[in-house]
Amino acid sequence: MAPAWQRNPRYIVFILVALATTFYLLAPADVDAPLRPSFYPDSDLPNRVARSDRIYNKLLLDRKDLIKKFGPTPNDVALFPPNKDPWPAYTVWDFFPAAYNCPHEVQRLGALGDGGKWVCGITRVETKPDCIVYSFGINYESSFEAEILANTEHCQIWGYDFSVNAFGPQIPRAQAPRTHFRPYGLAGADKHGPDDNPKMYTLESLMKMNGHTHIDILKVDIERWEFETLTTLIKPYIASNKPLPFGQLQLEIHIWNLSFAEYLTWWETLETAGLRPFWTEPNLVYQNYNRDGTSDLAEYSFLNIKGDNIFIKDPTRRLPSDGEYGRHAPGPTP
């Protein structure tokens, strides 16, 4: 009797396909291959953003239930209950978790501990030609800014802090041309007359001074002035139904001398403007030094879900004119 493969040629085809599949699956992966997405990453970004929206919308309902449980109104909720009644115990941060899913990779840039920040999708601006970063609060600790420079090709960083006179030593000399420092402060109103020291500017004034209409990454650490400054900044955008002029925000929150109701109102202003927290961590260094049982400083990272910033929408490709076909592939519109 003839062998099976002679009687049925499909048999040998099946064997060859099975062997090829086995060799492919067993082949060692290239562990050194870079995981660097292109400037036009996954096409399902709108679906990921929509899923993140649904997850966060559930959180909004859960917060209302939690306020009723411990309130029943915001005025009845304590930031940090002084004893074990009510039980189970809670703190203010339990009402405001970072429940929004960043639709990209989340990476800590800068030093572990104080100084580093969590960023959503740094690869989205890796090759962005007009990448702009603003950093308020330097204090000679610039590891965050240094890693942004190391992870991007074109990002320009504007730093502001009236308590120091330069970026920290972490900025390499070779990257210094991409940094710009001024000893100014961030405030809700301009105060930069001849007798004003330090000089204070609103974010809009600084952006106009620098010729910018949009900021990709905004870092703010201004020792509790974030409440007045961000409220003043945000309200006109809410009133005009326009998106905020930045893609994401890294913010240290200093919840000193506030009531829960006041903090809730401020936080809901951020949410109304389109800011969604995707990462948080308490400032345990501060808590360790004070040892008073409260943790009233926390780091938050927010994504702006309104508008068309690079973190929530892919850039639009420009179709080439007839004369451009064959010369080069279409590229992004600047």
Side-chain angles (χ1 to χ4, degrees):
M1 179 179 295
W5 63 270
Q6 290 182 346
R7 288 184 284 110
N8 189 351
R10 293 181 179 178
Y11 181 78
I12 190 61
V13 174
F14 172 78
I15 294 296
L16 292 174
V17 170
L19 289 173
T21 302
T22 301
F23 289 138
Y24 174 79
L25 294 176
L26 292 179
D30 184 2
V31 295
D32 295 325
L35 298 176
R36 298 160 66 92
S38 68
F39 197 57
Y40 304 99
D42 303 329
S43 59
D44 64 341
L45 176 58
N47 292 330
R48 298 202 305 274
V49 171
R51 182 171 60 246
S52 297
D53 290 341
R54 292 193 297 270
I55 292 171
Y56 197 80
N57 288 338
K58 179 182 181 301
L59 177 276
L60 298 179
L61 299 176
D62 292 342
R63 182 196 299 155
K64 291 181 179 180
D65 291 339
L66 196 61
I67 291 174
K68 290 180 181 178
K69 176 180 178 180
F70 290 118
T73 72
N75 290 323
D76 301 314
V77 178
L79 293 175
F80 302 96
N83 52 46
K84 296 181 180 179
D85 185 24
W87 190 260
Y90 69 88
T91 75
V92 60
W93 308 120
D94 294 315
F95 293 81
F96 307 98
Y100 198 83
N101 284 7
C102 164
H104 315 290
E105 81 286 351
V106 177
Q107 182 177 351
R108 185 180 179 86
L109 299 180
L112 296 179
D114 195 31
K117 307 292 180 183
W118 293 93
V119 174
C120 170
I122 188 64
T123 50
R124 297 288 289 182
V125 295
E126 182 180 46
T127 59
K128 188 171 184 283
D130 59 347
C131 171
I132 299 296
V133 178
Y134 275 39
S135 179
F136 293 94
I138 304 298
N139 196 27
Y140 286 126
E141 213 301 321
S142 298
S143 60
F144 170 70
E145 293 81 6
E147 286 214 36
I148 288 182
L149 294 171
N151 281 274
T152 63
E153 296 180 11
H154 307 291
C155 284
Q156 299 277 330
I157 301 180
W158 272 258
Y160 298 94
D161 191 331
F162 58 79
S163 68
V164 297
N165 55 21
F167 282 101
Q170 296 82 7
I171 303 291
R173 182 175 298 180
Q175 299 286 15
R178 291 166 59 195
T179 64
H180 317 270
F181 179 86
R182 295 291 184 274
Y184 303 154
L186 180 67
D190 288 333
K191 296 180 181 179
H192 49 79
D195 298 327
D196 291 318
N197 185 24
K199 298 185 184 303
M200 309 295 288
Y201 293 83
T202 65
L203 184 64
E204 291 94 337
S205 293
L206 291 172
M207 292 177 67
K208 184 177 181 179
M209 184 187 306
N210 298 326
H212 299 147
T213 59
H214 182 77
I215 300 168
D216 293 291
I217 298 174
L218 171 63
K219 188 205 86 174
V220 175
D221 183 359
I222 52 177
E223 305 303 316
R224 201 185 179 280
W225 288 101
E226 64 269 12
F227 294 100
E228 173 189 334
T229 300
L230 289 179
T231 299
T232 305
L233 166 68
I234 285 172
K235 283 189 174 181
Y237 288 93
I238 295 176
S240 61
N241 197 30
K242 293 181 179 180
L244 293 169
F246 50 86
Q248 62 180 283
L249 167 68
Q250 280 68 39
L251 176 69
E252 183 166 48
I253 298 175
H254 310 73
I255 195 167
W256 300 326
N257 303 318
L258 285 178
S259 68
F260 178 87
E262 290 171 327
Y263 185 75
L264 175 66
T265 298
W266 177 79
W267 182 274
E268 289 179 338
T269 301
L270 305 188
E271 291 175 326
T272 302
L275 295 178
R276 297 291 184 269
F278 64 85
W279 200 276
T280 185
E281 61 184 22
N283 188 324
L284 298 179
V285 173
Y286 171 83
Q287 183 180 1
N288 181 59
Y289 283 149
N290 286 274
R291 299 183 183 277
D292 61 357
T294 62
S295 180
D296 45 9
L297 268 65
E299 301 275 0
Y300 272 87
S301 295
F302 297 84
L303 196 63
N304 180 9
I305 65 168
K306 290 189 175 182
D308 57 358
N309 69 74
I310 190 67
F311 302 106
I312 61 169
K313 289 188 179 179
D314 290 325
T316 303
R317 287 181 181 272
R318 178 180 62 86
L319 295 178
S321 62
D322 292 341
E324 291 179 306
Y325 278 110
R327 294 207 312 247
H328 55 77
T333 301

